[in-house]
Amino acid sequence: MAKEPSTVADKGSGNSFFKELSSAAAKKALTPLLAAAATAGTTYLTRKTTEIWQNDVLPKVREKGGGKAVAKEALEKVADRLSGRPAQLLTELAERLREGAPSYSPAEQGSTEKGEETESEAQREEERKERQQRRQQRQRALQKSAST
C-alpha cells in the first residue's frame, strides 16, 4: 500500500518541529555555559591585565620618574607634532607637570597684571557665550526632532 501524501507532509513538519524543539533546548542549555565562559574570560583578562601592569608597565613608569613625567613626555611628543594654539596649550600643560611644580602657577591665582587678566577674562566670556549658543542650538534641534 502506498503512503498518502498527507502522511509524508506530516513527517516533514514533524522533523521541523523536533529540530526547532532541540534547537530551543540547546539554547537553554548553552546559555548558562556561555555566561560562565564570559565571566571566566573577564576574570582571566582582569587578572592578566593587573599582572601585566604590575610586572611590565609600572616599573617602566617608575623608571621614567612617575606618572607626571610620563604624561609630560607624552604631551611634549604630541605638541611637537602639532602647530599653532593646540601645540602651545599642550606645551604649557607639559610645563605644569614638571616635578615639584603645582598644578597651577601662582600667576594664575590673581597676581597677573590687569591687562592680561582682562584679556583672558574677555576670552573666557566669549567662550562661555559660544558654549551657550551651542547648547541653545542643540536644545532647539532636540525640540524640533521631538515635535516631528
Side-chain angles (χ1 to χ4, degrees):
M1 194 174 195
K3 292 189 177 184
E4 297 176 356
S6 62
T7 310
V8 173
D10 288 341
K11 275 191 173 183
S13 67
N15 284 340
S16 137
F17 171 75
F18 285 118
K19 283 182 183 178
E20 216 173 289
L21 182 63
S22 65
S23 174
K27 285 180 186 176
K28 285 190 178 193
L30 290 177
T31 300
L33 293 173
L34 291 175
T39 302
T42 303
T43 303
Y44 172 78
L45 287 176
T46 302
R47 184 172 26 92
K48 202 65 173 165
T49 303
T50 304
E51 183 181 314
I52 290 170
W53 174 261
Q54 294 292 331
N55 296 335
D56 297 336
V57 177
L58 193 57
K60 289 180 182 177
V61 169
R62 286 184 179 149
E63 278 178 18
K64 290 187 176 194
K68 281 186 177 181
V70 171
K72 181 179 184 249
E73 183 180 327
L75 288 171
E76 288 172 344
K77 284 182 180 179
V78 172
D80 288 343
R81 294 181 182 179
L82 297 175
S83 63
R85 182 79 176 138
Q88 181 185 1
L89 291 173
L90 287 176
T91 304
E92 290 172 6
L93 183 58
E95 288 302 315
R96 288 183 183 181
L97 291 175
R98 282 191 319 241
E99 288 187 351
S103 61
Y104 59 90
S105 65
E108 292 175 355
Q109 290 297 329
S111 63
T112 60
E113 296 178 16
K114 286 290 181 185
E116 292 176 12
E117 188 175 321
T118 53
E119 181 181 321
S120 65
E121 193 62 38
Q123 186 180 8
R124 284 188 201 144
E125 187 61 35
E126 179 150 345
E127 289 171 352
R128 285 185 199 118
K129 287 179 183 179
E130 289 172 359
R131 285 193 303 269
Q132 182 64 29
Q133 287 174 349
R134 288 193 301 267
R135 283 187 202 111
Q136 289 172 349
Q137 288 173 346
R138 286 193 303 264
Q139 191 66 29
R140 284 192 294 265
L142 281 172
Q143 289 173 350
K144 186 176 179 182
S145 66
S147 66
T148 57

